[in-house]
Amino acid sequence: MAALNGRDLLGLADLNPTELRELLELATQLKSQQLQLQCHKVLGLLFSKASTRTRVSFTVAMYQLGGQVIDLNPHVTQVSRGEPVQDTARVLDRYLDILAIRTFAQQELETFADYAKIPVINALTDLEHPCQVLADLLTIQECFGELQGLTLTYVGDGNNVANSLMLGCALAGMNVRVATPKGYEPDTAIVEQARAIANNQTEVLLTHDPELAAKDSTVLYTDVWASMGQESEAGDRLPIFQPYQISPQLLSLADSQAIVLHCLPAHRGEEITAEVIEGSQSRVWDQAENRLHAQKALLVSILGAQ
């Protein structure tokens, strides 16, 4: 993975298909302990949004590699008092080896990357969630042995997870279908980018019909209907999104061997039923665990290891 040495990961399209495949293989080897590596570096976590899986998985990954983590909560740094992004980036560059940022605007992430010489990882923005999708693809690969030719259906809000799933599936040679209510489609530029990557070799389908999208699909995937920052809209969204719930009925339209994924946190009875998330086809907990292994592989690939 020398090709990723010192690079940023601001979005999934920063990877090419070969790099994605090698990253997933490295994650598999690290998870199985076929490969045991050390990376004595310092990772900074600058998170402006709440986090469980991202914060814990990055922290544990770095500790298991022999490195250290500094939690740069904006509320206890000068960021909360209005220090410019450019200044913070140039200072942190002199202390840290790598920085993972979880924030709202993609532009803020890109400004950090412009002003910091150290690698910057997108740990979630309103536009993309690439680290989540690395874990998703690892989970799907574990279940089916390969990714190419499979079909993933995402139902719900066309949010950052939907955006990154489209890019990740296109890079992996998978078909991807995204079913949303009208007015809640994924980012147009991301859709065009995913279709360019797919290059008519695989399907990138947008629809308002969840049943059409789910038919014969290999993977059904959903996320909360109101993301962080949209809490005030949650009540209004409920009736609009109700037809997009992953229920036993929707799951019955998918392939008989299909798996169900959810990036969590989950609202049972809203975007997914309790019966489905706790059912035999759910791989949600494996998916959550794989955040650790996928991000460990990413850290090793960017920073190098002994």
Side-chain angles (χ1 to χ4, degrees):
M1 291 302 297
L4 294 189
N5 186 41
R7 282 170 44 183
D8 299 325
L9 182 73
L10 307 184
L12 267 184
D14 288 344
L15 301 174
N16 64 40
T18 299
E19 290 166 347
L20 175 61
R21 188 165 53 250
E22 291 178 351
L23 196 56
L24 295 177
E25 176 57 30
L26 178 58
T28 298
Q29 292 179 1
L30 290 168
K31 181 176 181 177
S32 66
Q33 298 188 339
Q34 287 177 264
L35 200 58
Q36 297 189 37
L37 300 174
Q38 292 289 293
C39 180
H40 301 292
K41 303 289 185 178
V42 181
L43 164 68
L45 301 180
L46 185 60
F47 285 16
S48 299
K49 286 188 172 187
S51 172
T52 298
R53 281 149 291 279
T54 304
R55 185 186 301 278
V56 176
S57 56
F58 263 118
T59 300
V60 173
M62 204 66 201
Y63 285 158
Q64 288 183 353
L65 289 169
Q68 298 185 48
V69 178
I70 299 178
D71 190 347
L72 300 162
N73 186 322
H75 298 296
V76 295
T77 64
Q78 297 295 348
V79 172
S80 64
R81 298 181 64 240
E83 181 172 49
V85 169
Q86 298 93 320
D87 295 358
T88 303
R90 285 180 285 197
V91 170
L92 294 179
D93 179 72
R94 308 229 175 173
Y95 299 147
L96 304 171
D97 296 301
I98 190 167
L99 179 64
I101 298 176
R102 184 176 176 93
T103 189
F104 293 87
Q106 181 78 12
Q107 183 56 56
E108 180 180 338
L109 176 79
E110 292 173 0
T111 300
F112 261 100
D114 286 342
Y115 281 86
K117 296 175 185 176
I118 58 171
V120 173
I121 294 175
N122 181 349
L124 179 144
T125 66
D126 288 346
L127 184 66
E128 275 209 61
H129 198 355
C131 292
Q132 174 65 56
V133 173
L134 291 176
D136 300 339
L137 294 175
L138 177 61
T139 307
I140 297 165
Q141 185 170 275
E142 287 177 344
C143 291
F144 298 102
E146 59 181 359
L147 296 173
Q148 195 161 8
L150 301 179
T151 297
L152 180 146
T153 292
Y154 174 92
V155 293
D157 187 28
N159 59 16
N160 48 7
V161 172
N163 290 337
S164 288
L165 279 169
M166 286 189 297
L167 295 171
C169 288
L171 285 166
M174 295 174 62
N175 301 306
V176 59
R177 305 170 185 165
V178 178
T180 69
K182 291 181 180 179
Y184 296 91
E185 296 85 358
D187 183 84
T188 302
I190 296 283
V191 174
E192 293 174 357
Q193 192 176 24
R195 286 177 172 160
I197 293 169
N199 195 28
N200 296 317
Q201 301 301 303
T202 56
E203 177 184 51
V204 179
L205 173 70
L206 267 61
T207 180
H208 302 301
D209 185 343
E211 294 187 356
L212 172 68
K215 186 171 175 55
D216 299 324
S217 182
T218 325
V219 183
L220 287 189
Y221 194 122
T222 193
D223 189 9
V224 295
W225 290 338
S227 298
M228 284 177 284
Q230 299 173 332
E231 289 83 359
S232 63
E233 304 174 27
D236 294 335
R237 285 178 174 233
L238 281 175
I240 298 170
F241 280 86
Q242 193 61 45
Y244 297 85
Q245 180 187 75
I246 297 188
S247 62
Q249 291 73 28
L250 192 68
L251 182 56
S252 71
L253 299 174
D255 185 271
S256 61
Q257 301 301 311
I259 63 170
V260 175
L261 300 180
H262 190 310
C263 54
L264 300 176
H267 297 157
R268 291 163 173 79
E270 292 184 14
E271 73 276 0
I272 192 166
T273 65
E275 183 179 354
V276 170
I277 197 171
E278 301 294 350
S280 62
Q281 291 171 270
S282 172
R283 297 294 180 273
V284 170
W285 318 116
D286 297 331
Q287 176 190 9
E289 178 191 342
N290 281 337
R291 293 294 305 277
L292 169 65
H293 308 297
Q295 286 158 196
K296 189 184 293 185
L298 183 63
L299 289 168
V300 166
S301 300
I302 293 173
L303 293 170
Q306 295 82 41

